Amino acid sequence: MEELSLVKQSARALMSGMPLALRDPHRPAWHLAPSVGLLNDPNGFIHHDGVYHLFYQWNPLGCDHRNKCWGHWQSTDLVHWEHQPIALAPGACYDSHGCYSGSAVVADGKLTLVYTGNVKYPDGSRTAYQCLAQDSGQGEFAKLGPVLPLPPGYSGHVRDPKVWRHRDSWYMVLGARDLQDRGKVLLLSSADLRSWRLLGEIAGSGLNGIGEFGYMWECPDLFALDGAEVLICCPQGLAKQAERYLNVYQAGYLIGELDYRQAAFSHGAFRELDAGFEFYAPQTTLAEDGRRLLFGWMGVPEQDEDAHPTRQYGWIHCMTCPRELSLRDGKLCQLPARELQQLRGEHSLWLGAAGNAPERPLGCAELQLTPQGAFSAAFGEAMTLHWDGELLRLTRRNLRSGQPEHRYWRGEVTHLQLLFDRSSVEIFINRGEAVMSARYFPGPEPLLRMSGDGALALEHWPLTPCML
Ligand code: FRU
């Protein structure tokens, strides 16, 4: 489709779609969601000149994975966001089938986007170009064209450039599927963002003692944190285990040390970033005060998308809340960004046996639970959380089959922080040691109902809506 006509159609879809989306009782009140159409990965997350920019994979024309554009939001406080004009739309010969995921950097004082141009051929094959676009000054982004074709030895699945500056060079990590169907992360360098040199494979299936580990790794992100390097990646093709890898695809991380000269990354075991039902393709950036912030997509490719009720209102999927990262005991910890505390309304505290806890409204709310023993918590009719002293189990009915499905986290639970937003919950375990994120679609005005004999401290805050 021609780029201009896609943009015009998108503007029309947007104007007619927004009133419909706003009538949806499941529309998030404080999470980012598309006005119309499908959202997937966060892209180009950056703080520049006092403003946070968050771009996102967006099909403004429907709730399916086509016409991938870059939508764009801006915020000065991570809480209140404003829609910006569409930043990138497919249509050039090098991005005809999608402006796929990527990142943003500031080069020569200008916001510069690095993205994957996806090109599909009639025989079903595809290629990919890593491309640049630059802020033209009026909130629009001018495409500068491809800077890197497919490197030899890889399939047409090479994408999702994350670029950063280290010493005097630019570096890029790229997700890839090699010709033997092994997922890899490639490291490249450049002096000027235009000419790139492949330094090597720094992680992937069959590398660094990790064994067979998926046929494709998507959306890598590499950054320094608390004295180590963290590589976030999304391997596809991991076999389900009893309590992990239960979503269609996984998002996780490796902690280690990157030797830039040797292009060698020595790292520990792969750990999932989230133990819930929906979390994928996260991306991080540095805040002005040095915090490492993360947004994830609260969705998973090819997972139950046909059954999401929000499709009737013309939109599907949302972002996670912004999260702050740190390392603790060799694990990546995630906490809700502290800025979100400004959404808290009146605080209430209750102490007693779990089963005697009063019901609490959950539509838009924060709960903090400090349990002394086993408990169950029902979130309306649609979801339950149960802790038996060893295993935390999150249960919901499958949207298609109606059968109960579970996700698990094993360990001692000392504290839970739960953030609800009409059709999502994010559960932060033990002040960030693990997270479970999930969409759920409750009836009107869902209530918290607790059961169990153990003692419990229960804190509750209503959260103030802040999104259009
Ligand atoms: C991850 C992903 C990326 C790709 C984008 C396309 O969800 O498949 O690898 O760039 O989505 O929308």
mmCIF file of all heavy atoms in Angstrom, residues 40-41 57 68 100-101 159-160 218-219 280-281 297 301, ligand 1:
data_model
loop_
_atom_site.group_PDB
_atom_site.id
_atom_site.type_symbol
_atom_site.label_atom_id
_atom_site.label_comp_id
_atom_site.label_asym_id
_atom_site.label_seq_id
_atom_site.Cartn_x
_atom_site.Cartn_y
_atom_site.Cartn_z
ATOM 1 N N ASN A 40 1.521 -3.846 19.251
ATOM 2 C CA ASN A 40 2.385 -4.854 19.871
ATOM 3 C C ASN A 40 3.613 -4.185 20.473
ATOM 4 O O ASN A 40 3.448 -3.376 21.388
ATOM 5 C CB ASN A 40 2.624 -6.090 18.994
ATOM 6 C CG ASN A 40 3.150 -5.881 17.602
ATOM 7 O OD1 ASN A 40 2.529 -5.225 16.790
ATOM 8 N ND2 ASN A 40 4.292 -6.457 17.297
ATOM 9 N N ASP A 41 4.807 -4.467 20.018
ATOM 10 C CA ASP A 41 6.017 -4.110 20.782
ATOM 11 C C ASP A 41 6.177 -2.613 21.085
ATOM 12 O O ASP A 41 5.932 -1.779 20.213
ATOM 13 C CB ASP A 41 7.277 -4.497 19.990
ATOM 14 C CG ASP A 41 7.204 -5.866 19.389
ATOM 15 O OD1 ASP A 41 6.262 -6.601 19.674
ATOM 16 O OD2 ASP A 41 8.116 -6.195 18.615
ATOM 17 N N GLN A 57 4.715 -0.640 17.845
ATOM 18 C CA GLN A 57 4.230 -1.352 16.671
ATOM 19 C C GLN A 57 2.717 -1.210 16.632
ATOM 20 O O GLN A 57 2.021 -1.542 17.611
ATOM 21 C CB GLN A 57 4.609 -2.838 16.757
ATOM 22 C CG GLN A 57 6.072 -3.102 16.509
ATOM 23 C CD GLN A 57 6.421 -2.908 15.040
ATOM 24 O OE1 GLN A 57 6.135 -3.740 14.209
ATOM 25 N NE2 GLN A 57 7.054 -1.791 14.731
ATOM 26 N N LYS A 68 2.243 -2.756 9.655
ATOM 27 C CA LYS A 68 2.909 -2.300 10.880
ATOM 28 C C LYS A 68 3.566 -0.937 10.707
ATOM 29 O O LYS A 68 4.502 -0.759 9.925
ATOM 30 C CB LYS A 68 3.926 -3.321 11.350
ATOM 31 C CG LYS A 68 3.319 -4.604 11.898
ATOM 32 C CD LYS A 68 2.506 -4.395 13.168
ATOM 33 C CE LYS A 68 1.757 -5.638 13.597
ATOM 34 N NZ LYS A 68 2.568 -6.708 14.107
ATOM 35 N N TYR A 100 9.058 -2.557 11.065
ATOM 36 C CA TYR A 100 9.095 -3.426 12.230
ATOM 37 C C TYR A 100 9.897 -2.778 13.367
ATOM 38 O O TYR A 100 10.423 -1.688 13.241
ATOM 39 C CB TYR A 100 9.689 -4.787 11.845
ATOM 40 C CG TYR A 100 8.674 -5.774 11.297
ATOM 41 C CD1 TYR A 100 7.414 -5.362 10.872
ATOM 42 C CD2 TYR A 100 8.972 -7.125 11.219
ATOM 43 C CE1 TYR A 100 6.485 -6.279 10.382
ATOM 44 C CE2 TYR A 100 8.058 -8.048 10.723
ATOM 45 C CZ TYR A 100 6.810 -7.616 10.309
ATOM 46 O OH TYR A 100 5.907 -8.525 9.832
ATOM 47 N N SER A 101 10.044 -3.529 14.458
ATOM 48 C CA SER A 101 10.553 -2.959 15.704
ATOM 49 C C SER A 101 11.974 -2.420 15.601
ATOM 50 O O SER A 101 12.747 -2.823 14.735
ATOM 51 C CB SER A 101 10.497 -4.009 16.808
ATOM 52 O OG SER A 101 9.172 -4.178 17.196
ATOM 53 N N ARG A 159 16.104 -8.916 12.642
ATOM 54 C CA ARG A 159 15.319 -7.705 12.912
ATOM 55 C C ARG A 159 15.498 -7.190 14.331
ATOM 56 O O ARG A 159 16.172 -7.767 15.145
ATOM 57 C CB ARG A 159 13.838 -7.973 12.639
ATOM 58 C CG ARG A 159 13.238 -9.134 13.398
ATOM 59 C CD ARG A 159 11.738 -9.242 13.105
ATOM 60 N NE ARG A 159 11.167 -10.449 13.672
ATOM 61 C CZ ARG A 159 10.976 -11.588 13.015
ATOM 62 N NH1 ARG A 159 11.309 -11.690 11.738
ATOM 63 N NH2 ARG A 159 10.455 -12.637 13.632
ATOM 64 N N ASP A 160 14.812 -6.064 14.568
ATOM 65 C CA ASP A 160 14.661 -5.447 15.890
ATOM 66 C C ASP A 160 15.965 -4.849 16.423
ATOM 67 O O ASP A 160 16.434 -5.197 17.523
ATOM 68 C CB ASP A 160 14.089 -6.468 16.904
ATOM 69 C CG ASP A 160 12.847 -7.170 16.377
ATOM 70 O OD1 ASP A 160 12.173 -6.585 15.508
ATOM 71 O OD2 ASP A 160 12.561 -8.300 16.819
ATOM 72 N N GLU A 218 13.969 -12.797 19.147
ATOM 73 C CA GLU A 218 13.483 -11.477 18.741
ATOM 74 C C GLU A 218 13.843 -10.432 19.796
ATOM 75 O O GLU A 218 14.135 -10.747 20.945
ATOM 76 C CB GLU A 218 11.956 -11.506 18.588
ATOM 77 C CG GLU A 218 11.452 -12.431 17.492
ATOM 78 C CD GLU A 218 9.961 -12.273 17.229
ATOM 79 O OE1 GLU A 218 9.179 -12.347 18.186
ATOM 80 O OE2 GLU A 218 9.590 -12.089 16.066
ATOM 81 N N CYS A 219 13.758 -9.185 19.382
ATOM 82 C CA CYS A 219 13.780 -8.018 20.271
ATOM 83 C C CYS A 219 14.869 -8.033 21.343
ATOM 84 O O CYS A 219 14.565 -7.930 22.549
ATOM 85 C CB CYS A 219 12.422 -7.861 20.936
ATOM 86 S SG CYS A 219 11.105 -7.612 19.744
ATOM 87 N N TYR A 280 5.810 -9.596 26.551
ATOM 88 C CA TYR A 280 6.696 -9.909 25.430
ATOM 89 C C TYR A 280 7.368 -8.632 24.935
ATOM 90 O O TYR A 280 6.890 -7.523 25.166
ATOM 91 C CB TYR A 280 5.886 -10.560 24.284
ATOM 92 C CG TYR A 280 6.753 -11.314 23.304
ATOM 93 C CD1 TYR A 280 7.384 -12.488 23.673
ATOM 94 C CD2 TYR A 280 6.935 -10.838 22.008
ATOM 95 C CE1 TYR A 280 8.192 -13.177 22.777
ATOM 96 C CE2 TYR A 280 7.738 -11.522 21.106
ATOM 97 C CZ TYR A 280 8.368 -12.691 21.502
ATOM 98 O OH TYR A 280 9.168 -13.379 20.621
ATOM 99 N N ALA A 281 8.499 -8.828 24.229
ATOM 100 C CA ALA A 281 9.172 -7.772 23.467
ATOM 101 C C ALA A 281 9.441 -6.492 24.253
ATOM 102 O O ALA A 281 9.179 -5.394 23.766
ATOM 103 C CB ALA A 281 8.345 -7.435 22.208
ATOM 104 N N TRP A 297 5.257 -5.238 26.094
ATOM 105 C CA TRP A 297 3.950 -5.440 25.471
ATOM 106 C C TRP A 297 3.188 -6.420 26.363
ATOM 107 O O TRP A 297 3.710 -7.510 26.642
ATOM 108 C CB TRP A 297 4.154 -6.009 24.066
ATOM 109 C CG TRP A 297 2.914 -6.495 23.385
ATOM 110 C CD1 TRP A 297 1.635 -6.054 23.568
ATOM 111 C CD2 TRP A 297 2.848 -7.532 22.392
ATOM 112 N NE1 TRP A 297 0.775 -6.762 22.751
ATOM 113 C CE2 TRP A 297 1.485 -7.665 22.017
ATOM 114 C CE3 TRP A 297 3.800 -8.351 21.777
ATOM 115 C CZ2 TRP A 297 1.068 -8.592 21.069
ATOM 116 C CZ3 TRP A 297 3.374 -9.275 20.834
ATOM 117 C CH2 TRP A 297 2.024 -9.382 20.480
ATOM 118 N N PRO A 301 2.721 -12.829 20.811
ATOM 119 C CA PRO A 301 2.309 -13.108 19.441
ATOM 120 C C PRO A 301 1.566 -14.441 19.350
ATOM 121 O O PRO A 301 1.951 -15.416 20.002
ATOM 122 C CB PRO A 301 3.637 -13.216 18.671
ATOM 123 C CG PRO A 301 4.652 -12.532 19.518
ATOM 124 C CD PRO A 301 4.176 -12.648 20.934
HETATM 125 C C1 FRU B 1 7.833 -9.183 18.159
HETATM 126 C C2 FRU B 1 7.885 -8.927 16.663
HETATM 127 C C3 FRU B 1 9.219 -8.368 16.240
HETATM 128 C C4 FRU B 1 8.865 -7.641 14.979
HETATM 129 C C5 FRU B 1 7.519 -7.070 15.323
HETATM 130 C C6 FRU B 1 6.582 -6.935 14.165
HETATM 131 O O1 FRU B 1 6.543 -9.172 18.667
HETATM 132 O O2 FRU B 1 7.582 -10.104 15.948
HETATM 133 O O3 FRU B 1 10.228 -9.334 16.069
HETATM 134 O O4 FRU B 1 9.786 -6.647 14.643
HETATM 135 O O5 FRU B 1 6.952 -7.932 16.284
HETATM 136 O O6 FRU B 1 5.425 -6.268 14.561
#
